[in-house]
Amino acid sequence: MDGEFEAYLSADGVDFGAADASLLRAIAERGSVNAAAAALGRSRARALARLDALEAAFGPLVERRRGGSGGGGSSLTGDAEALLARFERLRAALSGTAGAEETVLYGTVATATGELGYVDTAAGTVRALLVAPEPESPPVARGSRVQVSVRADAVTLHAPDDAPPAGGTSARNRFPGTVAGVDRGEAIVRVAVDVGGDGPLVALVTADSADGLAIEPGRSVVASFKATATRATAVEE
Amino acid sequence: MDGEFEAYLSADGVDFGAADASLLRAIAERGSVNAAAAALGRSRARALARLDALEAAFGPLVERRRGGSGGGGSSLTGDAEALLARFERLRAALSGTAGAEETVLYGTVATATGELGYVDTAAGTVRALLVAPEPESPPVARGSRVQVSVRADAVTLHAPDDAPPAGGTSARNRFPGTVAGVDRGEAIVRVAVDVGGDGPLVALVTADSADGLAIEPGRSVVASFKATATRATAVEE
DNA sequence: CATCGTTGTATCCATGCCGATACAACGCCG
DNA sequence: CGGCGTTGTATCGGCATGGATACAACGATG
């Protein structure tokens, strides 16, 4: 997955986004809506109105005081801190530097049992969560054409003789393959594994793990990932 | 993580969201912008203008023909299909029914090495990716107060005598604990594990895995999750 | 050639959001 | 009591977005 994202937390038709987070942070930092708005190049009236709208949807976020020492001021509530923390987690989950890279495999749903199904792909059969296109939509059905996404950070690499057992009751997807490429960061390593599909299966592992497995191009490995960490969504034919 | 989300794919200042996806899908289904707009209760002029804007940012999405058999019509390009697939993956990654639930642990960064660090939490030391607050911000520093989020779908459960080895070169975070609660779906199971922190560590596993481990309240288990699947983001004191 | 139903383009009006601005109220402080 | 700097509220004008509408162009079809 490449490109950029914007994400919002939603409640009662109000979307909390990056501009709102900036406003709350500026209030915390400067202690007043007036100074925060000025620092962000926004009008105070609009900032106050936006806070009213956000509070109607997300609960009390800013305690505001007029008069008194310093002329008045504002501070964040605990609810605001929690909301900011939630927003940060959402951003972190999506941010490109935090392992949002995915391997995408195309295939057809072979069996569907409740929320889980098996998908036949070029790389082999994958067990995955079947995600409905819309919250109220019918679930993905057997025979549907789907894309299966596997996050790089959900993939574990094993030496061939140290891998989880194939088949049986193990719920892990398991693919033997050959290391095709290695990109090293300071403490994390991106490993591309050729598992016989159209493109490589990508794993994001720590440098210790990579070293412990002596990861290098040409090395045989087994890649595994949880069924519940794997999503299948419908695509057009 | 609870509540609702809205997510957008961004390029060149244009955000592709649910309404845009609905428009493209309606075009594919009805074969014309006119019919699609009418079906969605939108004006044709605005729909066409929106397509122009989207195409300026994301590339050619709709092939439009005027005159001819049927009076003309429109169809999606391959780029549009790929964009829709990407948007579906984004939605699936965030959707509540697909395992986006997280355990959040608060703690302090003890060591930081490149992108990875160790965080001291009430449940014990966690190895995690340190996510900068903003793309251009300095990384999270040692001593920082952080929230550590662990997705339920990233947590693997093991019987105590079958768990990965503690310490050494293993890159997996590892927490022995006791099953505190079990919620069963048709094919997946949400398991809350008491690991000694403020709240339970939540795991989303398949029903076979849960059965294989004889998961029930009171059962001793070991929960493990990858360092690269674990994110630490800064929070206020 | 006229008709049909599409796309292409332009215009109008309504609504919502936004910054700038102004007046009012508040409570501390000198 | 006046001054200060904040919050509270209201108004104005500008801009963006959106639906409704209208005219023009296109190419197959009868």
Side-chain angles (χ1 to χ4, degrees):
Chain A
M1 202 186 297
D2 57 3
E4 296 296 316
F5 310 90
E6 286 294 335
Y8 298 84
L9 297 174
S10 278
D12 289 339
V14 179
D15 293 342
F16 183 94
D20 301 312
S22 297
L23 178 59
L24 290 184
R25 283 197 210 100
I27 288 168
E29 185 176 314
R30 291 162 186 274
S32 86
V33 177
N34 194 41
L40 296 172
R42 300 177 61 172
S43 77
R44 177 174 59 85
R46 286 293 144 254
L48 284 165
R50 180 62 178 167
L51 288 175
D52 283 343
L54 292 174
E55 293 190 316
F58 294 95
L61 302 176
V62 177
E63 282 172 2
R64 279 161 269 177
R65 303 172 303 280
R66 42 149 92 173
S69 169
S74 298
S75 55
L76 299 190
T77 65
D79 279 6
E81 302 286 2
L83 188 60
L84 280 173
R86 265 174 65 199
F87 184 68
E88 281 307 312
R89 293 202 298 275
L90 178 60
R91 273 194 54 253
L94 292 181
S95 77
T97 61
E101 183 172 2
E102 294 177 302
T103 300
V104 181
L105 304 169
Y106 290 89
T108 305
V109 177
T111 68
T113 307
E115 307 94 328
L116 281 173
Y118 284 96
V119 180
D120 290 329
T121 75
T125 301
V126 182
R127 196 174 190 200
L129 284 177
L130 305 177
V131 184
E134 303 280 356
E136 312 299 333
S137 292
V140 179
R142 197 166 82 86
S144 299
R145 178 97 178 135
V146 293
Q147 62 178 339
V148 177
S149 37
V150 187
R151 293 172 65 112
D153 64 22
V155 180
T156 302
L157 299 181
H158 316 265
D161 53 354
D162 199 30
T169 61
S170 174
R172 290 190 80 89
N173 290 293
R174 177 192 190 288
F175 290 86
T178 310
V179 174
V182 184
D183 291 312
R184 286 184 175 268
E186 191 175 340
I188 60 177
V189 182
R190 176 187 175 279
V191 183
V193 183
D194 177 8
V195 292
D198 294 332
L201 179 61
V202 179
L204 192 72
V205 302
T206 62
D208 329 341
S209 294
D211 291 341
L213 292 167
I215 294 290
E216 63 186 0
R219 169 75 58 181
S220 289
V221 292
V222 174
S224 73
F225 47 92
K226 291 182 63 180
T228 55
T230 311
R231 282 157 186 69
T233 52
V235 292
E236 299 297 321
E237 289 291 348
Chain B
M1 204 185 296
D2 56 3
E4 296 296 317
F5 311 92
E6 287 294 336
Y8 298 84
L9 297 173
S10 278
D12 288 338
V14 180
D15 293 342
F16 182 93
D20 302 312
S22 296
L23 177 59
L24 290 184
R25 282 197 211 99
I27 289 168
E29 188 176 311
R30 292 162 186 270
S32 88
V33 177
N34 194 40
L40 296 172
R42 299 178 61 171
S43 76
R44 178 173 61 83
R46 288 292 148 251
L48 283 166
R50 180 62 179 168
L51 288 176
D52 283 344
L54 292 174
E55 292 189 314
F58 295 96
L61 302 176
V62 178
E63 282 173 2
R64 280 161 269 177
R65 302 172 304 280
R66 42 151 94 179
S69 169
S74 298
S75 56
L76 298 191
T77 65
D79 280 5
E81 304 285 0
L83 187 60
L84 279 172
R86 263 174 69 199
F87 184 68
E88 281 308 310
R89 294 202 296 276
L90 178 60
R91 273 194 55 255
L94 292 180
S95 77
T97 60
E101 183 173 1
E102 293 178 300
T103 299
V104 181
L105 304 169
Y106 290 90
T108 305
V109 177
T111 67
T113 307
E115 306 96 327
L116 281 173
Y118 284 95
V119 180
D120 291 328
T121 76
T125 301
V126 182
R127 198 174 187 201
L129 284 178
L130 305 177
V131 183
E134 304 279 358
E136 312 299 333
S137 291
V140 180
R142 197 166 83 87
S144 298
R145 178 102 179 129
V146 294
Q147 61 178 341
V148 178
S149 35
V150 188
R151 295 174 62 112
D153 64 21
V155 180
T156 302
L157 298 180
H158 317 263
D161 52 353
D162 198 30
T169 59
S170 173
R172 288 190 79 90
N173 290 293
R174 177 192 191 288
F175 290 85
T178 309
V179 175
V182 185
D183 292 311
R184 286 183 174 266
E186 191 174 342
I188 61 177
V189 182
R190 177 187 174 278
V191 183
V193 183
D194 177 6
V195 292
D198 295 333
L201 179 62
V202 180
L204 192 72
V205 302
T206 62
D208 332 340
S209 292
D211 291 342
L213 291 168
I215 294 290
E216 63 186 0
R219 170 74 59 182
S220 290
V221 292
V222 175
S224 72
F225 47 93
K226 292 182 61 177
T228 55
T230 310
R231 282 156 187 67
T233 52
V235 292
E236 298 299 320
E237 288 292 348

